[in-house]
Amino acid sequence: MSFSSLPTEIQSLLFLTFLVIYLVTLLGNSLIILVTLADPMLHSPMYFFLRNLSFLEIGFNLVIVPKMLGTLIAQDTTISFLGCATQMYFFFFFGVSECSLLATMAYDRYVAICSPLHYPVIMSPRARAKLAVISWFPGIPVATVQTTWLFSFPFCGSNKVNHFFCDSPPVLRLVCADTALFEIYAIIGTILFVMIPCLLILCSYTCIAAAILKIPSAKGKHKAFSTCSSHLLVVSLFYVSLSLIYFRPKSNNSPESKKVLSLSYTVVTPMLNPIIYSLRNNEVKNALSRTFHKALGLRNCIP
């Protein structure tokens, strides 16, 4: 695993940095889950999907960061064959599910802004539950097929994964067999489960932008845009970092730069998501305030 070549002082600094980010990520996303469950004002479809996103971000973080922290603090740069396969499986599962969920959240905003009168019917509790299941499900077959197929190849030579987690490209470099068919499958999978959700998001926001422009008042335009600005920012962060890693020409994509860019969507973005939704959303800020005041009131009432 990576980081072993760095000086001890740098590794200690990285450990403290990633530990703080990890704790902020867990706390922030856990708060989003608790507040959207506890506050009746946040029982709308938008916050239902936000709660699912927070679950995903916590899972995504748990797959990558604890092992990385262990590597930095204990200087244990090894990972077992099964451990590497397990990490890759859940990395694919949460990654693909997040792409699908972000597309579902864009569709939710599209219905809310473009068909507000039909929104309660289209996004009924049963419908939103189905959409959540549909969003989570694609991660299972993709992770199962890709991980099982990749780890069925023979490995020879160096067993060093030149990355800070078991991603497909660095593990694939250790295979001593023809991987052409697997690479074709990986490209098809990327198009189906990463690019198609991205296109759906773009289509949704194109329709949303057209609908917002038709609103006569500036106040109405601002209110409509504010309901989807947080999601748009989260989508941008996720897909820009993903594109810089997996869609750059190989000549411009050194292993070291890929490691740095990978940190953005595996470590940093899960921390930023709850911050973005909290700071840019008055309903979430008000709900957090109500929840804290209620908690403090209960505490003061305890004899």
Side-chain angles (χ1 to χ4, degrees):
M1 301 291 280
S2 191
F3 298 123
S4 56
S5 59
L6 296 174
T8 305
E9 295 80 8
I10 300 295
Q11 290 190 46
S12 300
L13 181 62
L14 286 174
F15 171 79
L16 291 173
T17 303
F18 293 144
L19 178 62
V20 170
I21 291 173
Y22 178 60
L23 294 175
V24 170
T25 301
L26 293 182
L27 178 63
N29 284 288
S30 297
L31 275 175
I32 291 289
I33 293 168
L34 292 173
V35 168
T36 55
L37 282 171
D39 197 300
M41 299 294 290
L42 301 185
H43 286 179
S44 65
M46 182 174 80
Y47 297 109
F48 170 78
F49 293 122
L50 176 58
R51 187 159 61 247
N52 276 264
L53 181 63
S54 291
F55 272 116
L56 270 174
E57 298 293 25
I58 289 172
F60 209 54
N61 227 237
L62 288 172
V63 168
I64 305 294
V65 182
K67 176 59 183 173
M68 185 170 67
L69 291 174
T71 299
L72 287 167
I73 194 64
Q75 305 295 312
D76 180 13
T77 59
T78 62
I79 186 169
S80 67
F81 184 86
L82 180 60
C84 187
T86 303
Q87 189 181 58
M88 184 182 290
Y89 177 90
F90 284 105
F91 169 73
F92 283 130
F93 170 72
F94 288 118
V96 170
S97 299
E98 181 157 352
C99 291
S100 302
L101 185 61
L102 289 173
T104 300
M105 293 173 77
Y107 173 69
D108 170 69
R109 292 299 82 210
Y110 161 76
V111 176
I113 293 172
C114 299
S115 302
L117 297 177
H118 299 104
Y119 183 66
V121 177
I122 296 173
M123 285 295 174
S124 65
R126 187 174 181 181
R128 73 182 80 152
K130 286 182 179 178
L131 285 170
V133 171
I134 291 169
S135 299
W136 283 80
F137 177 75
I140 298 173
V142 172
T144 302
V145 173
Q146 189 145 334
T147 306
T148 305
W149 193 351
L150 179 51
F151 280 86
S152 67
F153 284 121
F155 293 90
C156 56
S158 171
N159 63 351
K160 183 180 178 182
V161 179
N162 190 18
H163 211 339
F164 62 88
F165 71 99
C166 289
D167 196 4
S168 179
V171 174
L172 194 62
R173 294 190 193 101
L174 306 180
V175 173
C176 49
D178 184 9
T179 59
L181 192 60
F182 175 84
E183 291 180 50
I184 292 170
Y185 159 79
I187 292 169
I188 293 171
T190 301
I191 292 169
L192 287 175
F193 299 105
V194 178
M195 296 311 298
I196 288 180
C198 183
L199 289 173
L200 291 173
I201 292 168
L202 288 174
C203 289
S204 295
Y205 275 104
T206 301
C207 296
I208 289 170
I212 289 174
L213 289 173
K214 292 177 183 177
I215 298 173
S217 68
K219 186 178 179 181
K221 288 178 180 177
H222 180 265
K223 185 178 179 181
F225 179 74
S226 65
T227 63
C228 54
S229 59
S230 297
H231 177 254
L232 189 57
L233 186 55
V234 166
V235 167
S236 301
L237 284 171
F238 182 77
Y239 272 101
V240 167
S241 57
L242 212 62
S243 300
L244 288 172
I245 295 166
Y246 294 106
F247 299 107
R248 291 170 71 198
K250 287 189 177 180
S251 58
N252 299 332
N253 203 7
S254 69
E256 297 308 314
S257 66
K258 187 173 180 179
K259 291 174 196 173
V260 175
L261 290 169
S262 295
L263 288 170
S264 62
Y265 76 93
T266 57
V267 179
V268 179
T269 302
M271 176 194 69
L272 291 177
N273 287 354
I275 295 173
I276 290 167
Y277 273 101
S278 299
L279 295 180
R280 296 182 62 86
N281 190 306
N282 287 328
E283 288 183 338
V284 174
K285 284 192 287 186
N286 293 335
L288 283 168
S289 178
R290 285 193 297 270
T291 303
F292 283 130
H293 282 115
K294 192 182 293 184
L296 287 172
L298 288 173
R299 185 178 176 182
N300 293 332
C301 289
I302 297 173

